[in-house]
């Protein structure tokens, strides 16, 4: 019984009681539901510690990061996009990319230290092509049972790559699906990539 998490329940309230229901998830898949009166402070996350280090599984973290109140830009909502190696939280102004704790052999994000390193590397490498998009690496902290972003009290439980969110309608897959990519844009992209590769570092170990 290492930790438990609470979050707003989506289940209907059969008794029509006033307040917000929360689900408490416990290890081994057990759960229970309780009611908080609107006058009570709303607890978001409860967590016990092992060896003075917070333990938070990835699904719990992703649930916390979908709560708009924790973001400094105060978004109306937070959208989630997932890949096989990352979860990206979209606030409308920024994108927060969190690496999943996975090890596929060709990449290893299995520890917090490795995820921090590869977040930093992603920013360094991708700033070569789009420095205005990759803004840095943000600490994700847990303090008194609550998740927060950036500097402040609490232990660091994860890291996220902070990016400027791009308009979804300008994504290449959208343009390809519409079939309306201007030839001049493709030429501009090709020239940019050709110049990038011409200036890239090379040595006997780099193919």
């Amino acid at each position: 019984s290492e930790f438990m998490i609470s979050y707003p329940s989506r289940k209907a309230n059969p008794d029509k009681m006033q307040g917000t229901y929360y689900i408490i998830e416990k290890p081994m898949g057990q759960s229970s539901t309780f009611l908080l009166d609107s006058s009570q402070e709303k607890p978001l996350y409860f967590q016990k510690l092992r060896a003075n280090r917070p333990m938070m599984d990835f699904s719990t973290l992703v649930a916390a990061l979908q709560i708009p109140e924790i973001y400094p830009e105060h978004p109306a909502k937070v959208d989630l996009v997932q890949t096989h190696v990352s979860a990206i939280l979209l606030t409308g102004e920024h994108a927060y990319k969190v690496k999943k704790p996975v090890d596929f052999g060709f990449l290893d994000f299995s520890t917090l230290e490795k995820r921090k390193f590869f977040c930093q590397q992603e920013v360094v490498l991708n700033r070569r092509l789009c420095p205005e998009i990759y803004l840095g690496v943000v600490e994700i902290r847990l303090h008194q049972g609550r998740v927060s972003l950036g500097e402040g009290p609490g232990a660091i439980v994860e890291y996220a790559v902070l990016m400027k969110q791009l308009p979804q309608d300008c994504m290449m897959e959208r343009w390809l699906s519409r079939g309306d990519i201007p030839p001049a844009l493709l030429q501009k992209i090709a020239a940019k990539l050709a110049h990038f590769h011409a200036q890239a570092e090379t040595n006997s170990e780099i193919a």
Side-chain angles (χ1 to χ4, degrees):
S1 59
E2 292 304 319
F3 82 170
M4 56 185 179
I5 163 181
S6 71
Y7 55 89
S9 171
R10 298 180 182 276
K11 296 190 298 183
N13 180 354
D15 298 325
K16 307 296 184 181
M17 297 176 65
Q18 297 298 314
T20 302
Y21 273 96
Y22 286 79
I23 296 174
I24 291 290
E25 287 189 350
K26 300 177 182 178
M28 307 303 294
Q30 300 174 349
S31 64
S32 60
T33 305
F34 69 98
L35 176 69
L36 286 182
D37 183 83
S38 59
S39 63
Q40 294 177 275
E41 182 178 359
K42 180 173 61 177
L44 297 181
Y45 291 87
F46 302 90
Q47 188 160 34
K48 297 180 181 179
L49 306 181
R50 173 188 288 177
N52 296 321
R53 181 164 184 173
M55 304 288 291
M56 177 173 279
D57 69 65
F58 194 75
S59 61
T60 299
L61 175 65
V62 171
L65 293 175
Q66 292 180 74
I67 299 172
E69 289 81 2
I70 72 171
Y71 291 89
E73 56 264 47
H74 305 296
K77 65 173 184 173
V78 179
D79 293 321
L80 171 65
V81 177
Q82 296 207 53
T83 71
H84 65 298
V85 296
S86 301
I88 302 98
L89 291 305
L90 304 174
T91 68
E93 181 178 352
H94 294 114
Y96 296 78
K97 183 179 181 181
V98 181
K99 299 187 183 302
K100 294 181 177 179
V102 295
D103 182 355
F104 293 133
F106 63 91
L107 61 78
D108 182 0
F109 300 156
S110 59
T111 69
L112 180 61
E113 290 75 18
K114 289 178 180 180
R115 294 192 294 277
K116 176 184 179 182
F117 172 78
F118 285 112
C119 282
Q120 293 170 335
Q121 287 297 104
E122 179 174 344
V123 172
V124 170
L125 294 174
N126 287 332
R127 273 181 173 172
R128 296 175 299 173
L129 283 171
C130 43
E132 71 282 3
I133 300 300
Y134 283 81
L135 305 178
V137 177
V138 175
E139 299 166 344
I140 302 175
R141 296 176 179 270
L142 182 68
H143 180 62
Q144 296 181 349
R146 292 176 180 266
V147 169
S148 63
L149 298 172
E151 297 181 356
I156 297 173
V157 294
E158 197 54 79
Y159 296 89
V161 175
L162 175 61
M163 298 171 283
K164 180 180 178 181
Q165 182 174 334
L166 300 175
Q168 294 299 305
D169 285 344
C170 292
M171 295 297 178
M172 182 63 75
E173 61 181 15
R174 299 283 184 90
W175 287 44
L176 288 171
S177 65
R178 295 193 299 261
D180 59 358
I181 301 179
L185 177 60
L186 293 178
Q187 293 172 356
K188 185 176 181 180
I189 294 173
K192 180 79 171 181
L193 290 176
H195 179 266
F196 172 76
H197 286 291
Q199 300 297 315
E201 179 183 357
T202 183
N203 57 46
S204 59
E205 296 181 357
I206 302 176

